Amino acid sequence: MQTQLAKGVQLTTVPSHQFKTNQIILNFRAPIKRADITKRALLANLLETSSADYPDQRALAHALAGMYGAAFGAGVSRKGPTHNLQLAITVPNERYLATDEPLTLQAIDFLAAIIFKPLVKDGHFDEPTFKRQVTNLKASIQSVDDDKQYYAAQKLNAALFAADEAQQIPSYGLAADLDQLTSSDLYAYYQTLLADDQINIIVMGDFDDAAVVARWQALGFKDRLAARPAAFYHHENAGQYTETSEIQALSQAKLNLGYDFPVFYRGQHYYAALVFNELFGGSPLSKLFMNVREKASLAYYASSSLDTFRGVLKVSAGIDGQNHDQVLQIIADQLTAIQQGDFTDDLVDQLKLGLINDFESSLDSQRTFAIQALIDDLTQQTVSDEDWLEQVQAVTREQIIEVSELVTLNNGFFLSGGQHASN
């Protein structure tokens, strides 16, 4: 059931007797702006670790323990042109406990205290807490450089979205931005977020629906004046391949490729794209895995992934640096093979079965239901489980070939140990 708490504030309750916990997820959504990304990531850290009622992690832990071991967390993510700051709490369903305490309602009150009563003094976030979380976030961001696979992926992202700086930056922001932030500036931005961000709340589990709706309504959310964020970002096709490279001290080179792929979530060609990706590099039966990694032994790993909120396809491969040119060519050959119909119907059936098995397994996850409800609200689309399965089953080899022809290689990033440097 959906309830509009205010303009731009949507509550979705999802009754389910499948799980022994109840989960509440609250998303603050806004169009991605370069100046705000790091602020939002730091806010997630602050909200997760302190509030006026729970000024430190010990107090927070005590409150969660009082709700029979509830789990609480905060984080940030992106979907296309939208940045999400998310708070989530999971509580045991009191019907399975020897208690009459309304734990789900207590969890709502807990989230309200976190959101509306942050740890603030004289118009700024508590200074010691603010500085501690700046240090923690900076260390977390800087540690990403130690993960060379992730580092290469971010470098590819910067090239792939060169025309839009906000799309280049990771959802958790940049360490350099933290040096410019003050506790008063961040608190002022938080007031803007509370007033302007679209809010989507999901409550899922076995609970008294009317009581849950009434508790959220009592919080008095105000109308949002800003428009809903757009669901999709349309990547600009460069129409030609450009590669950048970097040399670091490492034993395994990383080759990351970015393709323009104008297929969007639940839009035209979407289901064919899912099967195509499994065939290209998204599964152990894929051409990249079987031919680049297994048969030719040219990669330690090789896989592809879709971003159907930004219209791109990405390939990542861990290789011996001296094999760069050969790997680049054999990856291109796999795409060409698909475009020419060089795959069997039996393989397509196996790939569909893998997608279906993964989809059905995900239905056992409470969080999957909640995330899907959030995506449905963002895209303003709903597809039943049965329809999803039918759409995947209905994909033909002709549709796979057709969608593969939409793929255009745009950018590459090559991180090597010095054995090879690309021009």
Side-chain angles (χ1 to χ4, degrees):
M1 184 178 80
Q2 292 190 331
T3 304
Q4 191 172 32
L5 302 177
K7 183 180 178 181
V9 183
Q10 182 79 38
L11 169 64
T12 302
T13 52
V14 187
S16 172
H17 303 294
Q18 184 177 348
F19 307 103
K20 293 185 177 180
T21 58
N22 293 343
Q23 187 170 66
I24 304 170
I25 297 179
L26 189 151
N27 263 28
F28 291 95
R29 288 178 169 153
I32 290 178
K33 295 180 181 178
R34 164 66 185 87
D36 297 340
I37 296 173
T38 308
K39 294 176 186 176
R40 296 171 70 87
L42 183 56
L43 279 172
N45 276 27
L46 282 166
L47 296 174
E48 185 178 42
T49 55
S50 64
S51 72
D53 290 348
Y54 317 110
D56 53 40
Q57 289 182 290
R58 178 180 294 182
L60 272 169
H62 181 73
L64 295 171
M67 289 184 279
Y68 291 81
F72 169 66
V76 291
S77 62
R78 79 162 77 233
K79 276 283 186 288
T82 303
H83 194 275
N84 302 325
L85 192 166
Q86 183 178 97
L87 304 176
I89 186 168
T90 302
V91 295
N93 188 324
E94 56 264 29
R95 300 182 187 187
Y96 295 96
L97 300 172
T99 179
D100 294 326
E101 293 186 47
L103 296 181
T104 304
L105 299 182
Q106 289 180 19
I108 295 171
D109 294 341
F110 174 86
L111 284 179
I114 295 293
I115 296 164
F116 295 117
K117 297 167 63 179
L119 188 57
V120 172
K121 182 179 181 180
D122 298 329
H124 60 82
F125 282 106
D126 177 69
E127 201 66 36
T129 304
F130 173 83
K131 290 180 178 178
R132 183 165 56 250
Q133 294 309 320
V134 165
T135 299
N136 291 344
L137 181 57
K138 183 179 291 188
S140 178
I141 293 172
Q142 291 173 338
S143 70
V144 171
D145 287 354
D146 296 330
D147 183 339
K148 300 306 179 184
Q149 185 176 346
Y150 194 76
Y151 175 81
Q154 290 302 321
K155 285 290 188 177
L156 172 67
N157 215 51
L160 198 56
F161 298 101
D164 190 334
E165 191 178 10
Q167 289 294 327
Q168 299 173 32
I169 297 172
S171 60
Y172 51 77
L174 299 176
D177 290 354
L178 293 168
D179 295 331
Q180 312 302 319
L181 283 177
T182 67
S183 58
S184 55
D185 289 342
L186 189 65
Y187 183 63
Y189 174 74
Y190 185 54
Q191 300 309 300
T192 301
L193 178 151
L194 286 177
D196 294 344
D197 272 28
Q198 299 282 309
I199 298 176
N200 184 277
I201 305 162
I202 305 292
V203 184
M204 180 178 178
D206 188 4
F207 48 81
D208 182 335
D209 196 86
V212 164
V213 171
R215 188 61 60 95
W216 282 111
Q217 288 175 326
L219 296 180
F221 287 100
K222 305 298 184 184
D223 288 346
R224 317 281 106 172
L225 300 180
R228 290 178 59 87
F232 304 110
Y233 177 89
H234 292 259
H235 173 257
E236 183 178 345
N237 188 355
Q240 62 183 13
Y241 181 59
T242 302
E243 182 179 301
T244 55
S245 62
E246 191 173 313
I247 296 174
Q248 293 187 14
L250 73 167
S251 57
Q252 183 188 112
K254 315 293 180 187
L255 178 62
N256 288 58
L257 304 176
Y259 302 76
D260 184 76
F261 191 41
V263 176
F264 296 90
Y265 187 77
R266 291 178 179 165
Q268 186 180 15
H269 305 299
Y270 173 69
Y271 295 97
L274 294 180
V275 182
F276 158 74
N277 183 58
E278 294 292 291
L279 175 59
F280 183 44
S283 77
L285 298 175
S286 69
K287 287 187 172 291
L288 290 185
F289 188 90
M290 298 301 295
N291 295 320
V292 182
R293 182 184 184 276
E294 296 293 296
K295 188 181 294 184
S297 298
L298 287 173
Y300 304 101
Y301 62 86
S303 64
S304 66
S305 61
L306 295 175
D307 184 342
T308 56
F309 284 86
R310 294 195 283 185
V312 298
L313 168 75
K314 296 178 182 179
V315 167
S316 59
I319 66 174
D320 185 334
Q322 63 187 359
N323 294 330
H324 168 276
D325 294 347
Q326 193 177 357
V327 172
L328 193 61
Q329 184 58 55
I330 198 171
I331 290 174
D333 291 344
Q334 305 317 301
L335 178 58
T336 300
I338 296 173
Q339 292 170 338
Q340 295 176 348
D342 182 13
F343 54 90
T344 68
D345 291 338
D346 285 344
L347 176 56
V348 171
D349 289 341
Q350 291 181 67
L351 295 170
K352 289 180 181 178
L353 182 60
L355 280 170
I356 289 168
N357 287 340
D358 288 346
F359 178 80
E360 291 179 335
S361 296
S362 74
L363 300 180
D364 294 330
S365 166
Q366 189 176 32
R367 186 164 179 80
T368 296
F369 280 88
I371 291 172
Q372 189 59 58
L374 290 165
I375 292 175
D376 289 349
D377 180 71
L378 176 64
T379 61
Q380 296 291 282
Q381 302 176 40
T382 301
V383 174
S384 68
D385 296 345
E386 294 76 15
D387 189 41
W388 190 97
L389 294 169
E390 289 176 5
Q391 294 274 16
V392 169
Q393 287 282 25
V395 171
T396 65
R397 65 181 292 108
E398 290 76 21
Q399 289 173 329
I400 296 170
I401 293 169
E402 182 182 5
V403 79
S404 72
E405 292 172 346
L406 299 175
V407 177
T408 307
L409 180 58
N410 275 195
N411 296 93
F413 177 74
F414 181 53
L415 180 64
S416 78
Q419 306 98 322
H420 174 100
S422 176
N423 295 326

